[in-house]
Structure formats: structure tokens, C-alpha cells
Amino acid sequence: MRSLLLMSSFASTLAFKHHAAERTCRVFATRSRCHALSTARQIKALSTSTVEDKARDAQIFRRLLEEARSIEHSALLGPAVQSQILESNDLTDVVSEIIASRLARATTGIMLPRDKLKEACVRALKEDARPGADVMAIMSRDPAAISYLQCVMFFKGFHATQAQRVSANFWAKGSMSARHVALAIQNRVSELWAVDIHPAAELGGGLLMDHATGIVIGETARVGANCTILHSVTLGGTGKERGDRHPKIGDRVVLGAGATVLGNIHVGDGATVGSQAVVTKDVPEGMTVVGLNKLLDPNISPARQDTVKKRIETWQYEVNGYSI
């Protein structure tokens, strides 16, 4: 009798655990689908192309053709500009060809098929306004940029950005297979260009990642429109949270070389984070932060400026919990 009771109890426990596991799987699947739909909507909102965007992209493509024709007889660069620029149909085709050819390189034993990559790039970028905005950002904000050709063929920050947009497209689909493709692309980008951006991160258009080496952007980070990010910048977590744990960067923000921004904090529109700064608190819009959470006010009054100079504070003062 006792053994029967034990067996019955054991069976009940197994049944309970089985139902609990099924319930957990259903909840996880529902959350994954909801997250995938949310991510897909966010990407669409970030990337939807307008008539003006398409006209701009067509103009960029025309300039690329002109510049490519000027060097198509080069013994070294001729074949590359022929296959990547002159044989392309539009800007999306150019970017997709270049990104696919880079990602397909066998830097490890894992081969990513080039033709499939090209198709994936075209699908992800064909209605995306951001690549064209990124090209214009490079031309307008990088004094070292001498041509549109340089931007799309040799600017690794541009390459890493577009590859992340492709990986984000896979991530948004939500399936196990698609997300592992996204992670494979992330891994290849890290190998090729020393840039590590999670596929779920949101990158606005007009992004200039100058030099780009060492940039790390975490899963729940968001970068607004027309931002500039220099090399060795980290948008990371504090290591103490899960879930939404990475910084949210506003529009027109400049992140200087080596800047570290940690936690689910907000850096306001038009703010500047100085080189090697460490930021763990919200930064008001238009402000500059240096050192460890030290704010500088660009609109300081003349009277306050004199006081600050006398106190040798370099325009530092206390705002929203920041210390002098």
C-alpha cells in the first residue's frame, strides 16, 4: 500500500513538472513572438524610406557610378569597382554586394554562403533609408572622407553598421534559426572589423562610426539619428541587471573615443560624451560630460563663467545628482 502511495505521489509530481514545463515553454514562446513583433515594428519605424530618401539614394548611386568609372581601369581596383559598383543597379545593390562579399570571407572554418548573404542584405536594406543617410553623414561629418566610393567600399564603420542592420532583420524574425543567423553575422563582423554590436540593438540613420575599432553596443541599447561614435566606445550594462539594461542615446549625440556609457540610462539629444568619460547617470540634452559623470554646461552665463574660472572648476557644476 505504501509503495502504491509513493508511486502515485511520484507520478503526480512528474505530471505537475511536465505541465509546468509546458506552461513555461508557452510563456517563453509568446514572449519571444511579442518581442519579435515589437523589434520588427521598431526596425520598420527606424528605417522606412520616403520619396526624398529614395531621391537622395539615387543621387548617391549616380555619384558612385561617376567615381567608379574614373578608376575602372586601375589594375588594382578596377575589378572591384566593376563587380561591386558598375554592375549594380542601385545603392541597395551596391551596399549588399559589398557587405556580402566581406562577410563571406573565410576568416574561420565557418563559411557563410555569399549568394545567400547577398539576398539577405537586399531584403533587409531595400526599403531602408538609413544606409543612404549613413553615407551622407560620413561625407558631411568626416573631414577625411574624399569620395562616396571611399565611404561605401573602404569605410569599415559603414560596413559594420550595415551588417548589423542585416543581422537585426534576422533577429526580428524571432525564430531560433533566424536568431542564430543574426548571431553568426554579429560574430563575423567582430572578426572582420573588431566591432561588436548585438543584433537587437537599435541604430538610427545618419550614423557615423569613425574608425570604429573596439566599439561595443549591447543588446538593449538604442542609438538615435545623426549620432557620431568614435573608436573604443562601449554602450554596455553594469553587470547588475537583466532585461532592459543598456543606454539609450538620443539624436545628434557625439560619443568620444574610449567613452564608456553603462546601464539603462538616457543621453539626451545633442549631448557630447568626452573621450574616456565614464557615464552611469542620465545626461541632459545639450550637455557635455567628461571624466566620471562630470557635466559641462555649454550655455553657462558670463557671470557664472567668471566664478567658475576663479574656482578653477573648468565649468563643472552640480546637476541632477552629478558631483563637481
Side-chain angles (χ1 to χ4, degrees):
M1 184 68 178
R2 185 177 179 183
S3 62
L4 287 174
L5 288 172
L6 286 172
M7 289 177 65
S8 176
S9 175
F10 181 67
S12 298
T13 301
L14 283 178
F16 175 78
K17 288 182 176 180
H18 176 71
H19 290 310
E22 282 189 336
R23 187 166 59 252
T24 301
C25 289
R26 286 196 299 271
V27 169
F28 177 77
T30 301
R31 286 178 178 173
S32 295
R33 285 194 296 271
C34 290
H35 179 70
L37 287 170
S38 174
T39 304
R41 291 191 195 102
Q42 290 164 353
I43 290 173
K44 186 175 181 181
L46 283 169
S47 63
T48 302
S49 183
T50 65
V51 173
E52 291 79 10
D53 295 326
K54 291 177 180 178
R56 176 206 60 208
D57 292 354
Q59 178 63 24
I60 293 172
F61 181 59
R62 285 192 291 271
R63 291 295 301 272
L64 284 170
L65 291 177
E66 292 171 6
E67 293 171 359
R69 291 188 185 109
S70 71
I71 62 171
E72 66 177 318
H73 299 298
S74 165
L76 292 176
L77 291 178
V81 298
Q82 181 67 37
S83 62
Q84 297 177 1
I85 308 294
L86 296 176
E87 293 179 4
S88 296
N89 300 313
D90 53 27
L91 180 61
T92 297
D93 205 25
V94 169
V95 174
S96 298
E97 177 66 28
I98 291 171
I99 298 305
S101 66
R102 303 295 193 276
L103 293 177
R105 291 174 181 169
T107 55
T108 66
I110 301 174
M111 286 289 292
L112 297 176
R114 185 179 176 284
D115 292 343
K116 296 296 183 183
L117 280 170
K118 171 76 179 289
E119 293 172 6
C121 290
V122 171
R123 283 196 304 271
L125 302 176
K126 64 181 178 181
E127 293 298 327
D128 197 328
R130 293 173 296 173
D134 296 340
V135 172
M136 297 309 298
I138 297 168
M139 291 300 294
S140 63
R141 303 207 298 270
D142 185 355
I146 64 171
S147 69
Y148 290 87
L149 202 63
Q150 175 198 6
C151 294
V152 300
M153 290 191 71
F154 309 131
F155 206 90
K156 77 171 187 175
F158 177 78
H159 296 161
T161 301
Q162 309 322 312
Q164 192 277 341
R165 302 199 196 290
V166 176
S167 72
N169 188 266
F170 277 103
W171 187 267
K173 294 178 181 179
S175 70
M176 182 71 77
S177 174
R179 290 197 165 180
H180 278 77
V181 171
L183 294 171
I185 293 174
Q186 177 193 4
N187 180 65
R188 183 56 56 86
V189 170
S190 180
E191 290 176 341
L192 289 173
W193 301 303
V195 177
D196 192 359
I197 308 176
H198 195 281
E202 299 173 27
L203 305 181
L207 177 60
L208 168 58
M209 290 205 307
D210 199 6
H211 305 294
T213 301
I215 290 175
V216 177
I217 300 179
E219 178 184 9
T220 59
R222 184 170 65 246
V223 177
N226 302 310
C227 290
T228 299
I229 303 178
L230 277 78
H231 50 286
S232 300
V233 165
T234 297
L235 303 181
T238 62
K240 300 176 182 178
E241 297 93 13
R242 292 184 177 274
D244 194 356
R245 61 197 182 279
H246 295 107
K248 310 300 181 282
I249 309 300
D251 298 338
R252 305 179 309 282
V253 172
V254 177
L255 303 176
T260 300
V261 187
L262 301 177
N264 186 12
I265 62 174
H266 184 258
V267 178
D269 294 349
T272 298
V273 178
S275 297
Q276 303 299 327
V278 177
V279 183
T280 59
K281 300 177 182 178
D282 289 346
V283 178
E285 64 179 54
M287 300 294 287
T288 296
V289 60
V290 298
L292 177 58
N293 292 326
K294 297 284 187 179
L295 287 176
L296 308 180
D297 185 357
N299 301 311
I300 193 167
S301 68
R304 174 63 177 160
Q305 180 178 337
D306 290 340
T307 302
V308 167
K309 283 183 177 179
K310 289 176 184 177
R311 294 175 58 186
I312 320 175
E313 291 180 349
T314 323
W315 295 17
Q316 294 178 12
Y317 71 114
E318 201 167 310
V319 172
N320 296 336
Y322 284 80
S323 60
I324 293 175

